[in-house]
Structure formats: structure tokens, C-alpha cells
Amino acid sequence: PPLYSLSTMISRVLVVGSGAIGLRTAAELLRRNVKVALLSPVSPLHPTVCSQGAGGLWMPFHCDDPRVDRWAIETLDELHPMAKDESNSNVEFVPCVGLQQHHTGPSTDDFVADDYDRGTGGGSSLPGWTTDERLQFQHMTAEMLYWQNTVLGLKIPSQETMLANGYKHAWLWNSPIVDAPNMLTTLMDEVKNHANTIDVNVETGHKYATIGEMVDVAKAMNCDGVVNCSGLGAKELCGDDKLVGARGILLHFDRATALRTYKGPGDILLTKDAAIFAQDGPWGTETEPCYMIPRGDQLMVGGTYLEGDDREGMTTTERNRLLQNARILGIDTDASPPVGEWTGFRPARPITKCEIDENVTDVKLVHSYGHGGSGWTVNVGVAKEAANLLSV
């Protein structure tokens, strides 16, 4: 049964923010027959909006909250059938390969450990999300990946390249990738065209200076509820010193025309794009991972996760490193230079803020921000959580 009751749900809600979290929250409330106003200082497709620049891969990443696995699975519940539907261009199901220096899965002894559960427990360091059967997650040696790829035909590093760089192990799974600009447009259209929408203005050009100002706007619109999905803007709006920007950088390559350099084993033709990740050396680190994500009509090569780094734009050194990452991951950057680049700031917080503000009594205010690098991984679950909080 649903966790909410229409009889106790707030009747009119102001949603502030129109990124992946804000738009999906507005849509969730509308689907629950709640009247919604959506306000935001800039359009969802504005270059400064982290949601539109994100790689869109479903995978919990730098979102440290005990609720994150539940939110992620609720989001997967929505994305998975969309990704399997070939007529839906907003989400694509893509093979993913994580290159590992060390064995991270269970050992033989772990299979008899009391806390072993489908790949986790015992001495395994695999994250909990890997147990979801829809992802078809496997951990394997480089040799095993090589043999599977004689059938799969993924555009990934060869066994020789992996071993020469110390990557003796790998993760292989399938994951939805959201074409972020398209999905934002789809959600925006749903909100704008819904019969229960009171008002939509996502280009107000104004950021609220205080919570009190935001609440006053809601009251002037006769709203009895507010959901604050202002992302990194909540740092000033709420005086939240725990919220910091985690700077990310990407180079964009044209997916259809980029010349690829990886060759398959023997005469095997590599035909399928894959997302590729390395957070271990020599190619990547935790703060400077090496990765490529096929998203929509682009190949997105990254990246960084630098908390507290507020530099706008990309430095020459960073651009050169991403070009090197692109070459490592199989793009001929001389024949196929980048077609664009992006710098953005993920809203990082030690624990996600998704809770009722007990200090505000005029309206019911729910804060929903600080989702780190997992916005598109948790946005459905977070939207449901915020709507549930408004119904209590």
C-alpha cells in the first residue's frame, strides 16, 4: 500500500528548484493529485545546472546516506522499464565495465560466511546495489572479461592493455543511463501541462536570500507546503556549511562519428558502446577518476570529484588530462576532437538533507538537497520521500 494518504496530504505545494530532484518532486506531487507551483532562478537546461551536464549513469556515487540504496532501487524501478523500451529515448540500458587493480568480490571462504548474501558479506567489498538482479552484476578477472567480450563485442580495453596497467580484475554490469537534457525536458513538459499545476517559472532570475523569504512567497501563492530542491543554492539559502560544491569536468565527443581505436580479439568486431571506469591507478584516482559514459548522442569523458573547488571552467592541464583519458579509453582525439566541454558542481553533503524543517510552522517545509554525484540515481526515491513527508 502507498505510504501516503490523500486525505492528509498537503494540498498546494511550492517546489523550489528545477533540476533532476526538483522536477521529479514536482511531478511526483502532481501524480498524487497535489496542486504544484514550480519556481527556479534558471532553466533546467542552463549550463550552470548540474543535472543537465551530468553523465546520467545510474550508480550510487558520493552520496553518503543510509537511505541511498532504497532511493536508488526506487529510481531503478522507474528507469529500468524505460531503458528496456527501445522507443524511449530518455534512458538507455548500457553495459558498464569497472577496471579494478584488486579482487573486490567474495573469496571461497566468504561463500560459507554467516553474513554472505549474493556477493556481499564476508570479506567482499562490493557495494550493496550490486545484488540487484536487473543489473546482472559480475566480478571477474581480466581474462574472464576477455572471453565474455568475444561474444559481447564491447568497445573496451583489451586484456593486454588491462594487464599491462595492473587491472587484473573487473566489474561488468548493465545500468540505465539517463539522457539528462531530454529527461529534464520531458519532466518539464509533464509539470507545465498538468491540470494541477498552479504556476511554472523556471527563469525567475532570483535566488531567495532566506528561508523566510521563500516561505512568504509560498504563503502569497496560498501554498501550505514547500519543498526546497535548490541544490547547491541551499548553502546560502539555509546557511548550511556542510553543503559544498564537488567540482566535476567533462569533455564531450560525438558518439556517432568519434573514431575508436580499440580492436577486438582476433577478428571479433567491437560494435557496442560501454561505460568504462577506473578509480584505481594508474589511470584514475578517487578524486580524479578516469571514465567514459555514452549518453544520448555524446561520449562524455571525465573527470574530477573535487569538494570545495569552486574554479569556473576547465584549466589547460585538466583539459589535457581528459584528452589523455579519452585516448586511454579508445578515442582517437586527433581524428575526433571534442565537440564540447562542461564544468559543474555537484551538491555534496555528508548526509543528504531530506527532512521536515521543524523550525518553520507557517507552512510544512521539506528540505531535499545534497545528493552529491547521485542525482539521477536517487531522484525518484527522493521525490517519493519528500512527498511522503508532506503527507504525514
Side-chain angles (χ1 to χ4, degrees):
L3 298 176
Y4 62 93
S5 165
L6 293 179
S7 63
T8 59
M9 175 68 79
I10 296 294
S11 61
R12 291 167 67 97
V13 176
L14 168 62
V15 176
V16 177
S18 60
I21 304 297
L23 281 176
R24 186 58 185 80
T25 299
E28 182 67 25
L29 291 165
L30 289 168
R31 294 173 192 180
R32 298 187 183 197
N33 205 33
V34 177
K35 295 187 181 301
V36 170
L38 176 68
L39 299 180
S40 179
V42 295
S43 159
L45 300 182
H46 191 276
T48 61
V49 175
C50 188
S51 294
Q52 66 83 25
L57 173 76
W58 184 98
M59 183 179 74
F61 178 73
H62 286 283
C63 186
D64 300 322
D65 190 298
R67 300 168 290 182
V68 115
D69 280 352
R70 171 168 58 84
W71 293 337
I73 294 302
E74 289 175 342
T75 304
L76 183 62
D77 289 342
E78 181 164 292
L79 293 181
H80 186 265
M82 296 171 68
K84 300 292 280 186
D85 179 1
E86 294 184 359
S87 67
N88 190 321
S89 61
N90 288 339
V91 190
E92 180 181 1
F93 218 43
V94 176
C96 302
V97 175
L99 307 180
Q100 309 288 331
Q101 289 274 357
H102 306 287
H103 177 69
T104 52
S107 65
T108 303
D109 291 341
D110 295 328
F111 286 109
V112 295
D114 290 340
D115 60 349
Y116 177 78
D117 179 24
R118 292 183 298 169
T120 64
S124 172
S125 57
L126 295 176
W129 59 265
T130 62
T131 62
D132 193 290
E133 294 179 356
R134 291 170 292 185
L135 304 175
Q136 299 177 309
F137 183 91
Q138 304 172 67
H139 52 90
M140 63 186 67
T141 64
E143 291 83 357
M144 293 167 66
L145 179 62
Y146 166 84
W147 285 112
Q148 287 214 29
N149 208 35
T150 61
V151 176
L152 298 174
L154 305 179
K155 299 175 183 178
I156 60 175
S158 67
Q159 176 185 348
E160 293 76 17
T161 300
M162 286 181 60
L163 293 176
N165 288 277
Y167 297 113
K168 300 177 182 179
H169 304 273
W171 295 357
L172 176 64
W173 76 100
N174 294 302
S175 195
I177 294 179
V178 176
D179 190 340
N182 281 357
M183 182 66 88
L184 290 168
T185 300
T186 297
L187 287 170
M188 188 68 196
D189 288 344
E190 177 182 351
V191 172
K192 283 196 300 186
N193 297 324
H194 201 285
N196 282 332
T197 298
I198 305 167
D199 187 24
V200 174
N201 187 345
V202 294
E203 296 182 272
T204 66
H206 177 69
K207 295 182 179 180
Y208 300 123
T210 64
I211 291 176
E213 180 188 1
M214 179 172 64
V215 169
D216 286 344
V217 169
K219 290 164 62 179
M221 302 178 78
N222 295 317
C223 292
D224 47 1
V226 180
V227 186
N228 168 27
C229 306
S230 56
L232 198 54
K235 183 176 181 65
E236 293 187 13
L237 172 62
C238 304
D240 191 338
D241 293 334
K242 295 181 180 178
L243 183 65
V244 298
R247 183 168 169 271
I249 56 173
L250 291 167
L251 287 183
H252 301 161
F253 295 84
D254 184 76
R255 186 173 176 183
T257 62
L259 183 62
R260 312 296 281 278
T261 59
Y262 285 146
K263 306 297 182 185
D267 295 325
I268 299 298
L269 184 64
L270 302 183
T271 59
K272 296 180 183 177
D273 285 324
I276 311 170
F277 307 88
Q279 282 188 248
D280 294 342
W283 291 353
T285 68
E286 186 174 353
T287 57
E288 294 185 339
C290 172
Y291 62 86
M292 178 169 64
I293 299 174
R295 191 201 79 178
D297 60 1
Q298 295 181 334
L299 298 171
M300 312 187 79
V301 175
T304 58
Y305 192 90
L306 301 172
E307 292 191 4
D309 184 344
D310 58 2
R311 290 175 294 168
E312 301 281 351
M314 194 182 301
T315 68
T316 300
T317 300
E318 289 176 326
R319 189 175 295 106
N320 288 337
R321 184 173 65 81
L322 293 195
L323 286 169
Q324 177 64 14
N325 285 356
R327 288 188 286 270
I328 287 172
L329 299 177
I331 297 176
D332 185 333
T333 59
D334 293 326
S336 308
V339 296
E341 63 180 53
W342 181 79
T343 303
F345 302 89
R346 309 171 183 92
R349 198 175 187 277
I351 296 291
T352 300
K353 194 85 166 180
C354 189
E355 60 189 49
I356 295 172
D357 190 330
E358 302 290 355
N359 295 318
V360 174
T361 56
D362 296 3
V363 298
K364 181 171 281 189
L365 170 59
V366 172
H367 294 294
S368 181
Y369 61 81
H371 306 93
S374 294
W376 286 111
T377 300
V378 301
N379 71 321
V380 175
V382 167
K384 293 178 182 294
E385 181 102 0
N388 292 339
L389 288 171
L390 287 172
S391 69
V392 175

